[in-house]
Amino acid sequence: MKENVQQILDHFHIEQFQHDLIHWFVKEQRDLPWRKEKDPYKIWVSEVMLQQTRVDTVIPYFYKFIEKFPTLDALAEAEEKEVLKAWEGLGYYSRIRNLHAAVKEVKEKYDGCVPASKEQFSSLKGVGPYTTGAVLSIAYDIPEPAVDGNVMRVLSRIFYITDDIAKGSTRKKFEQLVSCIIAHDNPSDFNQALMELGALICTPKSPSCFLCPVQRHCRAFAEGAEGKLPVKTKGKAPKHVSFRAIVLADKKGSILIEKRPNSGLLANLWQFPNDEHAPTADDQAFIKEISERYGVVIRSVQQIGTFQHVFSHVVWHIEAYKGEAIGLTVDVPTRKWVTIEELASYAFPVVYQKIWQAYE
DNA sequence: AATTCGTGGAC
DNA sequence: TGTCCAAGAAT
């Protein structure tokens, strides 16, 4: 295993590569909000937000999140509802549930100070191999590899590595490689530079090799093979799921909402009554099911549209309705009648936001 | 090891 | 319009 990496590094000029890469990064890096200071908490938040999420998407969320939770203690002390609302629309909601739990643990066990120990930090919820390396290197200048999709793409080209980056085991090989070439005198800039290069120059499609600061180190470029790398097998096609949902208003104009389970898809977010887990045959059966489940009489039912929403692994087709509801509902924490003003303080999945817009 | 977990932008 | 994706982690 180790011999494998050594062979890859044969004839590779490590110090020259480090210098070319970091010199470029210092000069050309983007002015991003989480690069203004080296607050481990803010670095951490940015890294969690950036997981599988574009920089342009993250920037406004990062500003709002830090404004609302400026310190680790502030986030640790915040209510789940408020924290989830700040994440609304960002996706992969387990990230914020895990971050919130992790921050609480840091507050209790480490006096609110993000641990600089690899063992301690990586044991926190939602902190995997990448986030560990990213936070420790960027915030604490500790020479740990931070291997994300950018790094695998960049290094697969530079070293002509044909391992399938869609496989989980491949990341470990790149971590070994980075451990060998990381700049110990500046691991922060080195790791960020690899990712920045992937984002700006060594892009997935049509990389700008003519602008690349490490072109002379790149084996793929030398062989005109940058377009063939990295090797990445396709995932399987998502499944299609069809069901119905209904926006119910009582005579005062309050809206019936329901909290999703605390695990699984869109965990802990709120939604309108629906038959996602037991799709009905027709609208009459649907109205009957909802009436019985919530103990209300429903009238003036109207269809308000069909909505499609594509997730990573599933596609939803929702037939949406609106109606008036009469009767009482058990007031449990996961079911509520809320005014339209109150509705705005609950976090909803994007597809239910679309349904709400159609209702209004 | 393979699935599950969101969303919106680029082409 | 369909495809691929973007600074991954948990199970």
Side-chain angles (χ1 to χ4, degrees), chain A residues 13-258:
Chain A
H13 299 98
I14 293 180
E15 293 187 357
Q16 204 172 77
F17 173 77
Q18 293 171 346
H19 178 269
D20 291 345
L21 181 67
I22 291 175
H23 181 262
W24 169 82
F25 177 70
V26 168
K27 204 172 161 186
E28 303 291 342
Q29 65 175 288
R30 290 168 292 179
D31 187 15
L32 300 173
W34 45 89
R35 287 179 177 163
K36 291 180 193 168
E37 53 184 308
K38 293 238 171 189
D39 179 344
Y41 162 69
K42 292 176 186 172
I43 303 290
W44 185 7
V45 169
S46 75
E47 289 303 340
V48 174
M49 284 188 171
L50 285 162
Q51 289 167 11
Q52 299 293 286
T53 310
R54 287 184 159 75
V55 167
D56 289 341
T57 302
V58 167
I59 289 173
Y61 278 91
F62 181 80
Y63 278 122
K64 280 183 285 184
F65 196 91
I66 294 301
E67 185 180 0
K68 193 151 191 164
F69 315 109
T71 65
L72 188 146
D73 280 0
L75 180 58
E77 290 164 5
E79 296 295 327
E80 179 207 278
K81 182 187 172 189
E82 206 177 352
V83 172
L84 197 55
K85 183 67 185 179
W87 208 268
E88 182 187 51
L90 200 49
Y92 286 140
Y93 299 95
S94 66
R95 291 184 294 175
I96 187 55
R97 185 178 64 253
N98 288 332
L99 177 61
H100 199 196
V103 152
K104 287 179 179 177
E105 183 175 344
V106 169
K107 179 175 162 59
E108 295 308 311
K109 286 172 72 171
Y110 307 114
D111 197 27
C113 185
V114 179
S117 147
K118 181 180 179 181
E119 283 254 307
Q120 293 177 337
F121 185 64
S122 66
S123 75
L124 297 167
K125 287 186 179 176
V127 178
Y130 165 75
T131 305
T132 299
V135 172
L136 291 192
S137 65
I138 298 171
Y140 292 125
D141 292 305
I142 295 170
E144 285 292 330
V147 175
D148 69 339
N150 283 311
V151 172
M152 288 195 284
R153 181 174 62 257
V154 167
L155 296 183
S156 73
R157 287 169 175 166
I158 289 175
F159 294 101
Y160 210 118
I161 295 168
T162 57
D163 297 46
D164 182 2
I165 66 167
K167 292 188 181 295
S169 55
T170 301
R171 196 202 66 251
K172 293 177 185 169
K173 182 170 182 176
F174 284 99
E175 285 176 344
Q176 286 187 17
L177 180 52
V178 172
S179 293
C180 293
I181 63 174
I182 191 169
H184 284 251
D185 60 333
N186 194 351
S188 171
D189 282 353
F190 182 88
N191 278 341
Q192 290 187 80
L194 276 182
M195 294 187 277
E196 194 80 343
L197 190 68
L200 299 182
I201 306 288
C202 195
T203 49
K205 297 167 196 166
S206 59
S208 304
C209 300
F210 64 100
L211 293 175
C212 184
V214 293
Q215 184 195 94
R216 60 171 168 165
H217 303 278
C218 186
R219 284 189 58 191
F221 178 78
E223 303 186 25
E226 66 273 11
K228 297 183 175 183
L229 296 167
V231 174
K232 188 178 184 182
T233 56
K234 295 183 192 174
K236 61 174 189 177
K239 291 178 179 176
H240 289 249
V241 177
S242 298
F243 61 96
R244 302 166 206 277
I246 183 166
V247 180
L248 286 175
D250 67 12
K251 52 189 170 187
K252 292 183 292 186
S254 289
I255 306 296
L256 183 56
I257 63 172
E258 170 188 67

